[in-house]
Amino acid sequence: MAYPLSRAMPEAHSVPLPTSPVVWAGYARRTYCSCLLLAFLWAMAITMLGFFFPLGITHLLDDVVHFVPGLLFVAALVGALALGKGIGNDFKYVQGYGTIKRTSDSKGRTVVSVRGRRIVYAAVLAGLFAGCLIAAVIRVSTGHWLGFLVLAALALVLLLPALKVGRLARTVWQQTKTEQRIHRDIVASGHHSVGTVVAVTNEAFTVDNRAMFHVDLEYETGGRLETTRIQFFDYPVWAPALGNEFDVWTDPERPFIEDRIVLERRYVGQKFAKFEDVPVSGDHSSNADDWDADHGVLDGGFLGGGDSAGEDLGGGTSPSVQLLPQWMVDEADPQGPSTPKGARRTRILIGIPPTLIAVAALAGTMLVPVMVEDVPWWTMAALWFYTLLTLINAAVYWQFMVRSRWFLRSGVTFGATETAVFAGFFAAGFAMLTTHSLVMAPLHQEIPWTAAHMLTWAAVIGALLVFEWAFTSNGWALKHLNAEFPAPPEAIQEALTGHDGLGIEKLESEYGYRAGVFLCT
């Protein structure tokens, strides 16, 4: 498997999104699994049309044969629409770059390239085609020929686009892996030298809170000294200064071909410029007198080693928290680092609500057949489905509590598992509402309340609280993930973005700090 590198290609028309091999593998795995899940959700949603037509959705409660497919249709459709939005954001890190979408004259954000969007299109079309095909088979097996003809026609219409876009998506994935392998091979066996920054221009434009610079870099390759100007993006807290160093790798056989040059910025041991003192656009500075210790060069450290978290770095126009990588913002704590005992206690506290909901769901679902009569199979299926999702969600929180390397590197997030629990909440909730003995009978005092009623109600209603908990606790969680294991921000940034596959391992061995995709999402 190939990995992207932290590169800044000369005069690139895109924004490099540097990731370490560990982080890249997490993004690649998450993108692949998300595409499979997206195709499955669209297939399941359309398959349900084999049991009912949307025009008759108002009559779903009249017949459970239509109600269950209708419920699955809505749940799968909502899940597919929500999931599809995040795949492009992940895949741009797999590609190693994003294209700029301007939001104002001075700001922009990165989006996945046009060819990268084919990954999502392919997953959607594959799901739609498979769903239409299966739904058509269901219709013909039940003798509904009109529905069969409509769905079969849709499947035929989708066949060619699905095949074409699927082939293009596979090509994009293979090209991405090939590009990363080429750069990895250049680093492994190419000519290495250390480049030095000899001039800097601040272009007064930010992308994803990273400032755009043009940097003149001087390095040796092919037996001669070269100077190249690169379009370079970094957080203002690490604004480049004269004398900053880059690792430069070139292909020995083609040392002067720009797309065979790999650049990677060094962070540890470097001095950075105060952002407000970086030359503005149109005033390309290479005068060392403008960059002495009294005019903007800072020792490496948190917020440039001298500024506090409450000060501005961008000429007094932007709060400093907007000029930092998200993991640094999340970990910042005005009260200072937590004690080891306090950090562990907080991680346990964060995991308690999802665990309680999972325990209640499991106990209630197991007690329903014993304590409650006349519960149909589809209600039990919905309850077990919901229980399984709550158990998975609780397990994810426990992985966070113990700072599991797998969890931090896998790409799994609280938001993803909680969204699944929320989808299960709708399935279990609607199934319970249509089951008289679980809702209306105890409310009307036709039957006594039992532990099964109370536990299942608590578990389902608790999904609303836990869904909100996932998003409110995420920043809180990151503050205490590594609170007792502080590490220099430059060392963290270099480990998260550097080409060294052991960079994150070294970060942990030296400081105890554990890093992965979880810090970057």
Side-chain angles (χ1 to χ4, degrees), residues 115-420:
R115 70 183 188 122
R117 296 174 202 164
R118 295 170 183 166
I119 299 291
V120 179
Y121 299 155
V124 172
L125 286 172
L128 293 176
F129 171 74
C132 286
L133 198 61
I134 298 171
V137 172
I138 294 173
R139 282 288 174 179
V140 74
S141 66
T142 56
H144 293 81
W145 289 97
L146 178 60
F148 163 74
L149 291 175
V150 171
L151 290 165
L154 286 174
L156 287 175
V157 170
L158 290 169
L159 178 58
L160 288 179
L163 290 175
K164 179 180 179 180
V165 177
R167 183 175 64 254
L168 292 174
R170 187 168 57 252
T171 300
V172 168
W173 190 272
Q174 292 299 326
Q175 286 177 343
T176 298
K177 293 175 65 176
T178 300
E179 289 170 2
Q180 310 312 326
R181 185 175 61 251
I182 289 172
H183 286 94
R184 184 186 61 181
D185 291 343
I186 291 174
V187 170
S189 57
H191 175 266
H192 174 259
S193 63
V194 177
T196 303
V197 174
V198 295
V200 180
T201 299
N202 173 20
E203 296 298 339
F205 185 73
T206 60
V207 178
D208 293 340
N209 293 328
R210 292 193 294 162
M212 178 192 290
F213 302 98
H214 274 88
V215 174
D216 284 1
L217 196 66
E218 189 177 82
Y219 61 94
E220 184 274 327
T221 186
R224 72 187 194 197
L225 196 63
E226 288 285 308
T227 301
T228 187
R229 178 169 296 180
I230 62 173
Q231 181 175 281
F232 176 68
F233 298 83
D234 214 329
Y235 294 98
V237 67
W238 294 307
L242 298 185
N244 279 181
E245 295 178 337
F246 280 67
D247 286 298
V248 183
W249 293 272
T250 56
D251 186 342
E253 297 180 359
R254 287 167 283 185
F256 306 112
I257 303 299
E258 288 187 346
D259 62 2
R260 309 290 288 188
I261 302 172
V262 179
L263 309 174
E264 181 173 295
R265 189 184 187 190
R266 294 181 176 181
Y267 291 92
V268 176
Q270 302 295 298
K271 293 179 180 292
F272 308 108
K274 284 185 179 179
F275 186 50
E276 61 267 31
D277 291 341
V278 174
V280 297
S281 180
D283 184 18
H284 197 66
S285 175
S286 59
N287 185 354
D289 293 337
D290 295 335
W291 295 83
D292 62 24
D294 296 327
H295 294 83
V297 177
L298 298 174
D299 290 331
F302 185 69
L303 291 178
D307 292 310
S308 66
E311 294 177 339
D312 291 352
L313 292 179
T317 60
S318 302
S320 61
V321 294
Q322 295 180 356
L323 306 175
L324 303 172
Q326 190 59 47
W327 58 264
M328 192 184 291
V329 175
D330 291 333
E331 290 182 353
D333 191 337
Q335 298 179 353
S338 175
T339 63
K341 184 178 180 180
R344 288 192 295 268
R345 183 174 60 247
T346 302
R347 289 197 293 270
I348 293 173
L349 179 62
I350 290 171
I352 287 177
T355 302
L356 291 177
I357 299 302
V359 170
L362 178 61
T365 301
M366 293 177 67
L367 289 175
V368 164
V370 178
M371 295 184 171
V372 186
E373 296 180 352
D374 300 325
V375 179
W377 67 266
W378 59 84
T379 298
M380 288 306 305
L383 287 173
W384 276 113
F385 174 66
Y386 175 67
T387 298
L388 177 63
L389 293 177
T390 61
L391 290 172
I392 293 173
N393 184 54
V396 166
Y397 273 88
W398 274 89
Q399 291 291 302
F400 159 75
M401 289 162 60
V402 299
R403 302 175 71 240
S404 164
R405 294 184 185 89
W406 170 85
F407 170 66
L408 298 179
R409 301 176 185 184
S410 65
V412 176
T413 64
F414 294 153
T417 56
E418 284 293 359
T419 300

Side-chain angles (χ1 to χ4, degrees), residues 44 63 169 294 341 388 425 482:
M44 185 172 73
D63 189 350
D294 296 327
K341 184 178 180 180
L388 177 63
F425 154 78
N482 291 298

